[in-house]
Amino acid sequence: MPHLDPFTVPEFHLPFENSKDPGADRANAEATAWAVERGLIEAEASEQFAGIGFGHLAARVDRGAPYERLLLLAQWMAWSFVLDDQHDLLIRAGRVDDWQPLSDAMARHVSGAPADPAPADPAPANAAGDPARANPLVASFAELCDRILAGMSPLIQARYRRHVPRMLRSLDEEAANRRPGHRPAVEEYVLTRRHSSQLLPMMDMVEADQGVEVPDGADAAPELRELLWSAVDVISWGNDVFSLPKEYSCGDTNNLAALLADWHGLTLPDAVRAVEGRIRDRVEEFLAASRALPAALDALGVTDPAARTAVRHRVRCYEEWMAGTDLWQRHDCTRYRDERFAAGLEAAYTRPDLVSVA
């Protein structure tokens, strides 16, 4: 990777408004306490974990939701940061094979499939007989998943059940990208990043909380699908800039700026400016697609007023996501400014034994 010269995080072109739900502080504190109670993080470093600001991010993208749903989103976000850190730890420790039983157990649970029967000489397991599900990471996932699905319509449940396994597979793809001597093509990375961002299941949660019911016919429209990918790309690429020092320090090439620098011979400051340009272009594409959406719905025969209102509300949710994640990273989150993390060390709250805990 090129030398990590100092760079300034740009002010990205995000002409969208965002405000925060007043439950942000409470949700952040209660989601932190939940993570400690479930054994996901070290209690002694809970203050550092709370500094990630998952409650504030939830409050920026799910404003006005009932508090119990806002808290559930904050808990899911807290869990997702632990998932990301634990997966990174396994890659760096050469233990990525330990990930598969956990990933399989989570994919089975969200699909509604029964747990695998216990082996003849099983490790400690829960009552369902699946040893992996006794792990705190999987057990807390199952708890959250059941609560999330209970608050979703069948329409959104089906999307969430599709999106979570795809998210889990994308982590395998990112692990493969970090093999010695391997660097993914930029286009390949962008496709993986759309899912490893973990955004799609969270967007499903927000739509359920906000009462957004986009029918399948409209949901599958290429124009609306492109709006989704524009928003996800903008959020993911912006995060790649904020997280660049952390990922650079541990040799993680799953970062758009690092890949642009490597493939095109750029300095990292120049690569960051290239990412800024890509974000600007993607936002303009989003705005153009938003303007063209009514005509696209007409062409598809989507004339039901409720469906068209849901589509408009979804587009507004995407705008909240783009602006909200940027503001969260700038003002509410210490994760990417933490010196220990930026130096390639594990966060103080990380449990190195978590994956092996039964």
Side-chain angles (χ1 to χ4, degrees), residues 90-176:
L90 292 176
I91 293 170
R92 291 199 275 174
R95 295 176 49 209
V96 74
D97 288 347
D98 293 349
W99 160 252
Q100 202 59 51
L102 306 187
S103 179
D104 290 346
M106 288 185 278
R108 283 194 299 271
H109 186 87
V110 75
S111 73
D116 283 352
D121 183 18
N126 67 358
D130 186 343
R133 290 190 59 184
N135 182 277
L137 193 64
V138 180
S140 56
F141 166 83
E143 173 201 335
L144 292 174
C145 185
D146 291 348
R147 291 163 55 200
I148 289 165
L149 288 167
M152 288 177 165
S153 69
L155 183 73
I156 302 178
Q157 282 182 358
R159 293 170 188 164
Y160 177 84
R161 289 184 192 276
R162 290 196 305 269
H163 290 153
V164 170
R166 181 64 186 89
M167 175 196 85
L168 295 170
R169 290 198 305 275
S170 72
L171 298 181
D172 296 332
E173 293 166 9
E174 288 204 337

Side-chain angles (χ1 to χ4, degrees), residues 90-293:
L90 292 176
I91 293 170
R92 291 199 275 174
R95 295 176 49 209
V96 74
D97 288 347
D98 293 349
W99 160 252
Q100 202 59 51
L102 306 187
S103 179
D104 290 346
M106 288 185 278
R108 283 194 299 271
H109 186 87
V110 75
S111 73
D116 283 352
D121 183 18
N126 67 358
D130 186 343
R133 290 190 59 184
N135 182 277
L137 193 64
V138 180
S140 56
F141 166 83
E143 173 201 335
L144 292 174
C145 185
D146 291 348
R147 291 163 55 200
I148 289 165
L149 288 167
M152 288 177 165
S153 69
L155 183 73
I156 302 178
Q157 282 182 358
R159 293 170 188 164
Y160 177 84
R161 289 184 192 276
R162 290 196 305 269
H163 290 153
V164 170
R166 181 64 186 89
M167 175 196 85
L168 295 170
R169 290 198 305 275
S170 72
L171 298 181
D172 296 332
E173 293 166 9
E174 288 204 337
N177 287 344
R178 292 171 67 173
R179 299 190 307 271
H182 179 77
R183 59 175 179 175
V186 171
E187 295 76 12
E188 174 191 351
Y189 166 72
V190 166
L191 295 177
T192 293
R193 186 73 168 99
R194 289 175 175 178
H195 298 281
S196 67
S197 67
Q198 305 191 43
L199 285 167
L200 268 60
M202 290 188 280
M203 288 178 167
D204 294 333
M205 293 177 66
V206 169
E207 290 195 7
D209 294 348
Q210 298 291 328
V212 179
E213 287 272 348
V214 177
D216 283 336
D219 180 69
E223 294 82 2
L224 190 54
R225 185 63 37 171
E226 189 55 33
L227 276 167
L228 166 65
W229 296 137
S230 293
V232 170
D233 289 346
V234 166
I235 296 165
S236 301
W237 300 349
N239 177 258
D240 282 357
V241 172
F242 282 98
S243 63
L244 180 57
K246 169 186 175 292
E247 286 154 7
Y248 178 92
S249 68
C250 60
D252 186 356
T253 56
N254 288 293
N255 183 292
L256 182 59
L259 285 173
L260 290 174
D262 202 22
W263 279 108
H264 299 292
L266 302 175
T267 65
L268 284 177
D270 284 344
V272 167
R273 285 189 284 273
V275 173
E276 180 187 11
R278 285 181 175 234
I279 288 175
R280 174 174 288 276
D281 291 345
R282 209 68 174 109
V283 168
E284 289 301 320
E285 291 165 1
F286 179 92
L287 293 171
S290 296
R291 292 190 294 269
L293 192 55

Side-chain angles (χ1 to χ4, degrees), residues 290-305:
S290 296
R291 292 190 294 269
L293 192 55
L297 294 176
D298 288 341
L300 287 167
V302 180
T303 58
D304 177 55

